[in-house]
């Protein structure tokens, strides 16, 4: 299996909207992971695609993710949708035009939109990676079941720090120093996300 390459990867952020702020289990912990991934995307020049589920009713994407800091060439857009999967035609076209081989998926809900996005991508040439410390649901119990189903169906389940080290690949890389600084500055938020979102799931992964 070829190594994941930043040049052929996108970060998909699924429906992290205002209305979900008080409803999603471990919302702030999940946001910490996603914010770290947005910073890493800027460092590694990985483009980002964001969706909003029915934004008129559920609000816009929260500002804490840091999407406003992305340069135009990395921010591929925020797309409104009613379909649960992120694989709406406009996004599928982007993935095909850019020959995207890997998609890192974060957001909500793990058992609905995240799961359906991952399963849809399995039918394409883009391999989905789910960050277990970057997805959540309203009901905590749904999360490990969704992750186990995705893993069983062939989706790679990993963590934010693990995937980032894969992407950087080599400590001799000129990106390693700023990357190491990002890992260091996000150390506490990473611990919080892991303890909040994964401690109860370990037996299911």
């Amino acid at each position: 299996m070829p190594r994941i390459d930043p040049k052929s990867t996108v970060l998909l952020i699924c429906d992290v909207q205002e209305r979900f702020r008080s409803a999603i289990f471990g919302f702030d912990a999940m946001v910490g992971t996603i914010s770290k991934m947005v910073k890493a995307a800027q460092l590694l020049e990985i483009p980002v695609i964001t969706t909003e589920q029915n934004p008129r009713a559920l609000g816009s994407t929260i500002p804490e993710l840091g999407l406003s800091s992305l340069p135009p060439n990395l921010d591929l857009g925020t797309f409104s949708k009613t379909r649960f999967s992120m694989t709406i035609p406009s996004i599928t076209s982007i993935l095909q035009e850019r020959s995207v081989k890997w998609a890192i998926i974060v957001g909500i809900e793990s058992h609905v939109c995240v799961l359906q996005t991952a399963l849809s991508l399995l039918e394409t040439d883009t391999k989905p990676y789910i960050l277990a410390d970057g997805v959540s649901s309203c009901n905590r119990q749904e999360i490990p079941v969704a992750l186990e189903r995705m893993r069983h169906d062939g989706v790679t389940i990993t963590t934010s720090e693990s995937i980032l080290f894969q992407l950087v690949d080599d400590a001799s890389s000129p990106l390693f120093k700023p990357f190491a600084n990002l890992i260091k500055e996000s150390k506490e938020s990473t611990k919080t996300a892991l303890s909040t979102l994964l401690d109860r799931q370990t037996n299911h992964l």
Side-chain angles (χ1 to χ4, degrees):
M1 181 181 297
R3 180 183 69 84
I4 186 171
D5 184 346
K7 294 179 181 178
S8 301
T9 300
V10 297
L11 175 64
L12 300 181
I13 301 177
C14 187
D15 306 348
V16 186
Q17 295 160 254
E18 288 289 348
R19 187 65 63 88
F20 293 117
R21 191 184 291 273
S22 60
I24 295 294
F25 172 76
F27 185 85
D28 290 341
M30 177 194 70
V31 167
T33 295
I34 299 174
S35 174
K36 175 176 66 176
M37 292 303 299
V38 170
K39 292 176 182 177
Q42 188 165 356
L43 177 65
L44 300 172
E45 297 188 344
I46 294 172
V48 179
I49 298 173
T50 306
T51 57
E52 295 174 344
Q53 181 74 14
N54 189 12
R56 285 189 177 184
L58 299 173
S60 58
T61 301
I62 66 166
E64 295 96 310
L65 301 185
L67 295 175
S68 62
S69 67
L70 290 172
N73 65 308
L74 296 182
D75 186 354
L76 301 187
T78 297
F79 298 86
S80 173
K81 67 182 178 69
T82 56
R83 187 182 182 193
F84 297 124
S85 173
M86 294 179 75
T87 55
I88 57 177
S90 52
I91 291 177
T92 300
S93 294
I94 293 173
L95 300 181
Q96 292 174 343
E97 289 168 5
R98 290 175 167 258
S99 300
V100 173
K101 295 181 180 179
W102 298 277
I104 300 168
I105 306 172
V106 292
I108 55 182
E109 289 190 64
S110 57
H111 65 297
V112 185
C113 297
V114 169
L115 180 144
Q116 292 189 36
T117 300
L119 297 185
S120 295
L121 287 174
L122 286 177
E123 300 175 358
T124 72
D125 294 328
T126 301
K127 179 176 176 57
Y129 281 75
I130 301 295
L131 302 191
D133 56 336
V135 298
S136 191
S137 294
C138 289
N139 296 315
R140 173 180 59 80
Q141 294 84 353
E142 295 279 11
I143 306 169
V145 177
L147 293 176
E148 174 59 21
R149 179 185 171 186
M150 287 186 278
R151 186 185 67 80
H152 181 269
D153 286 347
V155 178
T156 300
I157 309 297
T158 186
T159 62
S160 58
E161 192 162 302
S162 179
I163 198 72
L164 288 176
F165 273 94
Q166 277 188 275
L167 288 162
V168 172
D169 185 52
D170 193 326
S172 67
S173 166
L175 295 175
F176 185 73
K177 185 174 182 180
F179 166 74
N181 289 337
L182 173 61
I183 294 297
K184 183 177 180 180
E185 75 178 38
S186 59
K187 179 179 179 180
E188 291 306 315
S189 65
T190 299
K191 284 184 177 179
T192 298
L194 291 171
S195 62
T196 302
L197 297 168
L198 286 178
D199 272 0
R200 297 179 180 87
Q201 301 173 25
T202 305
N203 294 333
H204 296 270
L205 298 178

